[in-house]
Amino acid sequence: MKKANAGNLEAQVALIEKLSGDCSDLPFASKNRNLYLHEAASQGYAPAQYQLAILYKMGETLPRNYKESMKWLKMSAEQKYMPAEYELAKRYKKGSLFVKEDPKEFLFWLMRAGFNGSDKAAEELGYLYEKGIFVPENKIEAYKWYSLSTHKDSHKLDLLELSMTTEEVERAQNEASLSYQKIAEKMKKEW
C-alpha cells in the first residue's frame, strides 16, 4: 500500500486486482479499488481507464456519469486498448444522451478494434461488408473479416462462398491469412 500511495503503478495495479478478487469482501474494498483505479488511470494505464469508463457508465461502485465514462474510454481507446476501441465503436453506433450517433467514428473504432484482434469487431465488420451497411458491399472483405472472427458461424462462410467465384474465395482466403499473420505478429509484440 505504501508503494501504491506513493504513485507506484505496479503496486496500484496489484492492489486493484486484489481488491477486485480475493479481498473484495473487505470493508471499503470497492472504494479503495476505485481510488487506485483513478491513480493508475491518471498515470495513463489503459486497462484502468477502461475499467473506470465501464464503472461510470454502469453506475457500479461509482456514481453514474456518462461524460466521465466517455473521457476515460477515449483515453484508453487512443492508446489502442482493444476492449476500449470496441466499446467506443458500440457507443458511436447506437448514440446516446451524451454521444451522437456517428457512422464514421463507429467504423473507425470498429476497424481499429478488428485489426487489434477483437473477434466481435471482426464478426461485425464481416456482416457490414456482406450487407453493405455503412460500407460498400464487398464479399471478399466480408469473407476476410468473418474468417478472422472466432465467433464465426461456418454456415455464414458457406453461404457467402456460394455467391462468390473460385477466384474471389481464393483471394479472400489469402487476404484473411495475411491479416491474421499481421494481427498475430502484433499480439506477439504486445504480449
Side-chain angles (χ1 to χ4, degrees):
M1 258 184 148
K2 281 184 181 180
K3 286 182 180 179
N5 290 335
N8 183 293
L9 182 60
E10 287 181 23
Q12 292 169 349
V13 171
L15 275 172
I16 291 166
E17 289 174 9
K18 277 286 187 201
L19 293 168
S20 297
D22 299 346
C23 301
S24 62
D25 290 336
L26 293 175
F28 304 108
S30 64
K31 288 184 182 8
N32 283 322
R33 184 198 67 219
N34 293 345
L35 170 76
Y36 292 116
L37 272 173
H38 271 98
E39 291 288 324
S42 296
Q43 292 186 56
Y45 187 59
Q49 293 168 338
Y50 173 70
Q51 286 181 37
L52 278 178
I54 299 304
L55 291 175
Y56 276 121
K57 176 186 176 195
M58 304 305 289
E60 291 179 11
T61 72
L62 285 170
R64 182 176 280 182
N65 186 324
Y66 295 123
K67 287 183 180 180
E68 278 295 298
S69 178
M70 278 300 287
K71 175 183 98 173
W72 292 111
L73 187 61
K74 283 183 178 179
M75 291 171 89
S76 183
E78 286 168 357
Q79 292 187 70
K80 298 183 180 178
Y81 187 63
M82 183 266 293
E85 292 170 330
Y86 184 66
E87 176 67 23
L88 194 53
K90 290 190 314 186
R91 291 191 190 181
Y92 280 116
K93 178 182 181 183
K94 296 177 184 174
S96 69
L97 188 59
F98 291 97
V99 181
K100 185 179 174 197
E101 183 180 328
D102 188 334
K104 280 186 174 182
E105 287 292 313
F106 162 64
L107 284 172
F108 173 80
W109 291 108
L110 189 67
M111 195 70 73
R112 257 185 59 170
F115 277 119
N116 283 324
S118 170
D119 292 326
K120 292 177 182 178
E123 182 179 28
E124 191 160 351
L125 283 163
Y127 179 79
L128 294 175
Y129 276 107
E130 180 184 13
K131 302 298 182 188
I133 302 170
F134 298 129
V135 292
E137 186 178 319
N138 186 324
K139 293 175 187 176
I140 292 170
E141 281 295 303
Y143 192 100
K144 176 183 87 174
W145 285 109
Y146 277 142
S147 294
L148 292 172
S149 170
T150 59
H151 298 287
K152 67 179 165 257
D153 177 357
S154 62
H155 185 67
K156 285 182 183 178
L157 284 175
D158 293 341
L159 288 174
L160 195 54
E161 283 178 357
L162 290 173
S163 67
M164 298 170 73
T165 66
T166 306
E167 293 80 22
E168 287 175 324
V169 171
E170 191 173 314
R171 184 172 156 213
Q173 289 175 346
N174 288 336
E175 286 188 23
S177 292
L178 289 172
S179 293
Y180 179 79
Q181 288 172 357
K182 286 178 186 175
I183 291 168
E185 287 171 18
K186 183 178 185 347
M187 291 174 77
K188 245 181 176 177
K189 288 177 188 175
E190 291 177 8
W191 286 87

